[in-house]
Amino acid sequence: MTSPVEGMVERVKTYDALIVLRPFVDADGGDNVQKIVDRLFKGIEHKMIRLERLGRKRLAYEINRVKDGFIVTCLVEMDPASVEVFRRTATLSEDVLRLTIVSLDALAFKTLTTPRPPRDHEGRDRDRGPRGDSRGPRGEFRGPGGPMAGRRPPFSQPQGQQQPQPQQPQQGDAR
């Protein structure tokens, strides 16, 4: 792509867009979400690398009196001048509650496009082996045989010491 100024070449950048849509968009299935995203990118020269539907989620706070949102992430290549057109189109759309666009550098792009290693049924990475020291297996920090065994919890009195009791006024002492 060449810009209007002769000799300058516009650089296509990769952007990660997080779009929060109104929650009703998933009522018909995924086709409606795809139509809304296509409508947002209409008239903009772009290359959609990845479109990921994260689904309907509870928002941390209400946006325009809406408590839930349908969250979509897009990995898109487009020129920097098109970002403002896309942002304006999304802001004017009634289906979009929030939009965040982040420009990615080469390392972040590589990280986002490479597949993640599989996880086991407990949500931990499989490729992490034993620690190789005397701390024991992972995830067993506290317990009967863990390193915290026999230690007192924080902010408690040491064993053998009692807190001083407040003194009661005596009967004959009237002031």
Side-chain angles (χ1 to χ4, degrees):
M1 262 188 230
T2 59
S3 67
V5 178
E6 192 61 40
M8 291 184 62
V9 176
E10 272 189 54
R11 186 176 151 195
V12 175
K13 290 187 176 182
T14 305
Y15 295 93
D16 190 13
L18 179 106
I19 307 167
V20 181
L21 302 170
R22 291 195 177 273
F24 66 85
V25 298
D26 66 332
D28 301 340
D31 294 339
N32 201 12
V33 173
Q34 184 68 39
K35 288 177 187 175
I36 292 172
V37 172
D38 287 342
R39 195 175 341 128
L40 293 175
F41 283 104
K42 185 177 181 181
I44 299 172
E45 187 176 332
H46 71 284
K47 178 184 173 191
M48 183 75 66
I49 299 169
R50 185 181 70 205
L51 176 69
E52 188 174 350
R53 296 169 187 86
L54 299 179
R56 186 176 178 156
K57 305 281 184 189
R58 173 74 59 170
L59 301 175
Y61 54 91
E62 290 184 11
I63 302 172
N64 298 336
R65 288 176 257 136
V66 177
K67 295 181 180 181
D68 294 337
F70 193 87
I71 300 178
V72 178
T73 60
C74 304
L75 200 59
V76 183
E77 283 184 353
M78 60 182 162
D79 61 329
S82 300
V83 174
E84 288 304 317
V85 176
F86 173 67
R87 183 172 281 140
R88 189 178 330 114
T89 305
T91 305
L92 294 175
S93 174
E94 293 180 2
D95 294 327
V96 178
L97 296 175
R98 281 284 188 268
L99 172 70
T100 303
I101 303 174
V102 179
S103 176
L104 301 179
D105 58 353
L107 180 63
F109 176 72
K110 182 179 178 185
T111 304
L112 284 175
T113 54
T114 55
R116 297 185 74 183
R119 294 172 123 6
D120 65 2
H121 67 282
E122 294 176 357
R124 295 180 297 207
D125 292 336
R126 287 187 194 165
D127 59 348
R128 293 180 69 184
R131 293 181 181 196
D133 58 7
S134 62
R135 290 186 286 177
R138 297 182 189 274
E140 304 209 6
F141 183 69
R142 297 179 190 264
M148 294 296 287
R151 294 188 187 173
R152 62 183 171 83
F155 304 115
S156 67
Q157 291 293 327
Q159 293 178 357
Q161 290 185 1
Q162 297 179 3
Q163 282 197 328
Q165 299 292 326
Q167 293 184 358
Q168 301 288 332
Q170 295 184 2
Q171 295 269 359
D173 216 14
R175 292 186 196 187

